[in-house]
Amino acid sequence: MRVYFDYNATTPLAPEVIEAVATASRDLFGNASSVHHYGQQAKAAIDDARSAIATLINGDPSEIVFTSGGTEADNFAIRGAAEALEATGRRHLVATAIEHEAVLNTFKALARRGWRTTLVPVDQSGIVAPERVREAISRDTALVSVMHANNEIGTIQPIAAIAAIAHEQGALMHTDAVQSVAKIPVDVRELAVDLLSLSAHKFSGPKGVGALWIKRGTRMLPILTGGKHERNRRAGTENVASIVGLGVAARLGANKLTAEAVRLAALRDQLEQGILTRVAGTVVNGDPHARVPNTTNISFDRVEAESLLIALDLEGIAVSTGSACSSGTLEPSHVLRAMGLPTHRTQNSLRFSLGQFSTAAEVERVVDVLPRLVEKLRRLTKSPVAARS
Ligand SMILES: Cc1ncc(COP(=O)(O)O)c(C=O)c1O
């Protein structure tokens, strides 16, 4: 039995998405900019997907710009807004210390070009207090970027409250909702943001496609220049089949959001309780309440997370040590570090993230296997990390 509990890294495609992408790849080969029948068919399919995404997040279809995924959506939000606002004298950007690398490294790149950047700290449970954001913002802040749900620990941030603070100072508010869309209700009007990023492969859609929602009237410059695609906001011939897949995933996500959230929360809690009771020296990282229903992040005392990850993989169980980008290295998680956890806990934590195909039998399997593996590693491991804990 193989178990995949790494849905926050990426998800398997929904069967309906596979079908729709295959059909679109075969039948909708026209260039959506062409005026003839083939082009118009492709354009209609793209517009249908645009409506599906707009419905999922309560936006207007005209406010959706398709991108190559979450990374591009984050880059577009930050660089596009920064460039548009540069002339107004606003040269300051604010984010939190627990953002995804797509945001953090874009900030670093802009800092090298003279932008002032501030990373707001989070509390021990991985939540940013709106007051901390208020302290960081000033009259020259162009944009505040705070993720909706964190990819490593799943915590949900108080976006609407932070957006209100950003707007008081005339700054734009962006949220990276890559890990919340189709897991919890995401409503751009309720969140009161100006820009929102999403990515299809985190909710049963294809990789390499996503979107940036841009509130109507928001001043943005394109980061990809070329043709007049996406109302002059993102140049490049549209990836029709993937966009169609994104649309199907959005409709599926909207239809089963509530039921799936309840089902996954029950499975996640069963997994968490099973681990906490069967494996001594374990503790959950993050906020137990304000988090997405599919994610838990657990510290295993006197165990090196990478070793446990490999031991689990040998048993056919796939999990993660946090963000996929830092896997394969012993870099401590920047998220757990920002929460102020001691070094050993930033290196002994595993993320379990569930999804569409997760079952109770899989949860049982993981809970059965873990005590033996952890015990073995604790006996064998003589690493400095283990010794310190
Ligand atoms: C919070 C968050 N933002 C952005 C991204 C990047 O999205 P993509 O993989 O579509 O580029 C990810 C994916 O790991 C993510 O978890």
Side-chain angles (χ1 to χ4, degrees):
M1 181 196 213
R2 282 206 165 268
V3 178
Y4 184 78
F5 277 176
D6 201 12
Y7 278 76
N8 285 10
T10 195
T11 60
L13 301 190
E16 296 90 335
V17 171
I18 297 175
E19 186 64 37
V21 170
T23 307
S25 303
R26 191 188 56 220
D27 298 342
L28 301 175
F29 64 86
N31 185 322
S33 302
S34 301
V35 291
H36 51 59
H37 167 79
Y38 299 93
Q40 292 312 298
Q41 259 192 327
K43 184 176 181 311
I46 290 172
D47 286 342
D48 183 54
R50 205 184 299 283
S51 296
I53 280 292
T55 304
L56 181 65
I57 60 172
N58 195 26
D60 188 86
S62 65
E63 297 171 317
I64 304 288
V65 178
F66 291 115
T67 66
S68 64
T71 300
E72 187 191 322
D74 286 346
N75 268 266
F76 184 15
I78 298 163
R79 292 173 191 267
E83 276 202 42
L85 293 173
E86 199 163 8
T88 65
R90 290 181 180 262
R91 297 277 293 173
H92 179 225
L93 302 165
V94 174
T96 79
I98 62 165
E99 298 302 310
H100 188 268
E101 286 81 358
V103 168
L104 292 178
N105 287 334
T106 303
F107 267 47
K108 277 188 193 153
L110 288 172
R112 284 193 292 272
R113 287 178 23 205
W115 285 77
R116 197 160 63 80
T117 60
T118 305
L119 295 184
V120 178
V122 294
D123 66 19
Q124 269 239 318
S125 61
I127 302 213
V128 55
E131 280 315 303
R132 297 282 88 74
V133 178
R134 189 189 297 282
E135 288 158 17
I137 294 188
S138 57
R139 288 305 301 176
D140 73 336
T141 305
L143 175 96
V144 177
S145 179
V146 178
M147 70 199 324
H148 193 198
N150 180 265
N151 43 309
E152 293 189 33
I153 51 172
T155 47
I156 300 168
Q157 306 301 329
I159 298 299
I162 296 171
I165 292 168
H167 290 152
E168 274 169 28
Q169 294 285 357
L172 289 176
M173 179 73 198
H174 166 243
T175 190
D176 173 339
V178 166
Q179 292 290 348
S180 60
V181 163
K183 288 181 188 156
I184 55 171
V186 172
D187 180 324
V188 290
R189 315 290 170 200
E190 275 178 19
L191 293 173
V193 292
D194 304 291
L195 301 154
L196 180 141
S197 308
L198 59 90
S199 175
H201 76 100
K202 306 293 185 177
F203 58 100
S204 311
K207 290 166 190 50
V209 63
L212 181 67
W213 172 82
I214 306 174
K215 186 178 172 183
R216 186 174 299 136
T218 307
R219 283 175 57 199
M220 294 284 285
L221 285 180
I223 58 169
L224 282 183
T225 45
K228 294 186 169 29
H229 313 86
E230 298 292 284
R231 297 168 177 244
N232 287 320
R233 292 172 298 187
R234 199 272 189 182
T237 301
E238 296 85 348
N239 181 352
V240 182
S242 292
I243 290 172
V244 166
L246 169 57
V248 172
R251 289 213 167 91
L252 288 171
N255 290 343
K256 58 186 184 138
L257 182 69
T258 316
E260 193 58 357
V262 171
R263 187 184 79 86
L264 289 178
L267 281 182
R268 189 269 316 272
D269 293 348
Q270 191 187 330
L271 173 72
E272 201 170 83
Q273 282 314 310
I275 294 173
L276 293 180
T277 51
R278 299 270 303 272
V279 186
T282 46
V283 57
V284 174
N285 299 314
D287 190 286
H289 307 294
R291 58 176 172 165
V292 285
N294 78 317
T295 308
T296 182
N297 186 300
I298 299 180
S299 279
F300 294 81
D301 238 12
R302 292 183 293 115
V303 169
E304 203 175 66
E306 294 286 331
S307 309
L308 185 53
L309 181 140
I310 291 162
L312 282 165
D313 189 41
L314 292 173
E315 297 278 346
I317 297 166
V319 299
S320 163
T321 52
S323 83
C325 316
S326 58
S327 291
T329 74
L330 275 180
E331 273 287 293
S333 149
H334 73 281
V335 175
L336 300 181
R337 210 170 35 199
M339 287 159 61
L341 297 189
T343 308
H344 69 271
R345 266 181 72 188
T346 64
Q347 293 177 335
N348 72 2
S349 303
L350 285 187
R351 175 185 74 186
F352 301 81
S353 49
L354 284 58
Q356 180 182 197
F357 297 115
S358 302
T359 63
E362 291 181 334
V363 167
E364 272 166 39
R365 163 111 180 108
V366 174
V367 172
D368 279 347
V369 164
L370 262 173
R372 174 169 52 85
L373 299 184
V374 170
E375 197 196 324
K376 189 170 164 196
L377 285 174
R378 282 180 180 159
R379 259 189 288 119
L380 294 179
T381 310
K382 300 264 188 290
S383 81
V385 171
R388 254 203 319 270
S389 346

